[in-house]
């Protein structure tokens, strides 16, 4: 597949620090970690980026990737998960262990759009329902759209707190 990502503001600033101190041979792993594509099957083949030194423009990265065993076949059916990234995967706040507020460096939003081209001869029988969750401190949504030739999943994630009180941990874990 092919991907394009952009970083703005603090996210760009912190990522630039890692980018300038990373050997070129380690760049695919750095970008994979930054993109939060948690599957160890996600591999970046080639990558290019620009605007890392331009403070007024987002850092843009373009990459080619592959994912082995991306589709699961059961009988005559094929199942494909378009949620490539794993934002907050396994980031459960353990209320038995943690008793202090959780700090966040800055509010932020992340948006991932994944588009799959439907191969000739295939048809889509079903896409997942749109879903989401919203509170004053954080929110997420996943929506799907279908055309004759593509399926698109749009995932949005937002954190608006600098300090999350302990009493909000259970609410956040519901997300």
């Amino acid at each position: 597949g092919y991907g394009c990502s952009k970083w703005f503001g603090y996210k760009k600033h912190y990522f630039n620090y890692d980018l300038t101190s990373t050997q070129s041979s380690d760049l695919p792993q750095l970008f994979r970690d930054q993109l939060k594509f948690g599957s160890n099957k996600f591999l970046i083949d080639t990558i290019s980026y620009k605007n890392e030194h331009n403070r007024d423009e987002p850092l843009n990265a373009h990459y080619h990737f592959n994912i082995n065993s991306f589709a699961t076949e059961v009988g005559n059916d094929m199942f494909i998960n378009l949620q490539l990234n794993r934002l907050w995967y396994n980031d459960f706040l353990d209320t038995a262990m943690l008793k202090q507020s959780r700090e966040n460096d800055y509010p932020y939003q992340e948006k991932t759009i994944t588009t799959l081209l439907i191969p000739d001869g295939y048809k889509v029988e079903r896409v997942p329902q749109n879903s989401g969750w919203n509170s004053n401190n954080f929110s997420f949504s996943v929506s799907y759209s279908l055309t004759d030739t593509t399926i698109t999943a749009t995932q949005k994630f937002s954190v608006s707190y600098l300090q999350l009180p302990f009493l909000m941990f259970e609410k956040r874990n519901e997300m």
Side-chain angles (χ1 to χ4, degrees), residues 16-173:
N16 264 343
Y17 178 79
D18 293 336
L19 194 59
T20 57
S21 61
T22 300
Q23 299 290 326
S24 60
S25 61
D26 295 330
L27 286 176
Q29 182 63 42
L30 175 69
F31 275 91
R32 183 176 153 215
D33 293 345
Q34 187 68 6
L35 293 167
K36 296 181 179 70
F37 292 160
S39 170
N40 60 0
K41 297 177 182 179
F42 180 88
L43 301 174
I44 295 177
D45 299 319
T46 61
I47 191 159
S48 64
Y49 56 93
K50 64 179 184 177
N51 296 332
E52 67 271 24
H53 300 296
N54 185 341
R55 291 175 15 145
D56 298 327
E57 296 292 328
L59 171 64
N60 291 310
H62 299 270
Y63 46 94
H64 287 90
F65 65 91
N66 68 72
I67 304 173
N68 292 326
S69 305
F70 179 60
T72 302
E73 291 187 57
V74 178
N76 291 331
D77 295 329
M78 184 179 296
F79 299 90
I80 300 174
N81 182 359
L82 295 180
Q83 301 305 314
L84 299 181
N85 63 355
R86 296 179 166 221
L87 297 170
W88 282 17
Y89 180 73
N90 280 341
D91 192 21
F92 180 79
L93 299 177
D94 187 349
T95 57
M97 296 285 295
L98 301 171
K99 299 298 181 189
Q100 299 294 322
S101 299
R102 180 172 182 151
E103 291 184 5
N104 193 40
D105 292 334
Y106 48 85
Y108 64 93
Q109 296 177 353
E110 296 193 18
K111 180 179 180 180
T112 303
I113 301 172
T114 306
T115 301
L116 175 71
L117 299 175
I118 302 167
D120 290 337
Y122 286 82
K123 68 177 185 171
V124 176
E125 293 182 5
R126 180 171 63 103
V127 295
Q129 291 183 352
N130 297 340
S131 65
W133 197 91
N134 190 20
S135 81
N136 290 337
N137 293 307
F138 34 81
S139 65
F140 83 91
S141 67
V142 180
S143 60
Y144 299 88
S145 61
L146 177 64
T147 70
D148 290 339
T149 58
T150 63
I151 305 170
T152 300
T154 302
Q155 183 178 15
K156 296 178 185 177
F157 184 78
S158 175
V159 172
S160 58
Y161 65 85
L162 293 177
Q163 191 167 20
L164 184 67
F166 172 77
L167 296 174
M168 292 293 298
F169 284 12
E170 285 188 29
K171 198 73 153 159
R172 182 203 174 268
N173 286 340

Side-chain angles (χ1 to χ4, degrees), residues 8-18:
F8 303 86
Y10 286 122
K11 286 265 187 193
K12 176 185 175 182
H13 174 76
Y14 289 122
F15 186 37
N16 264 343
Y17 178 79
D18 293 336

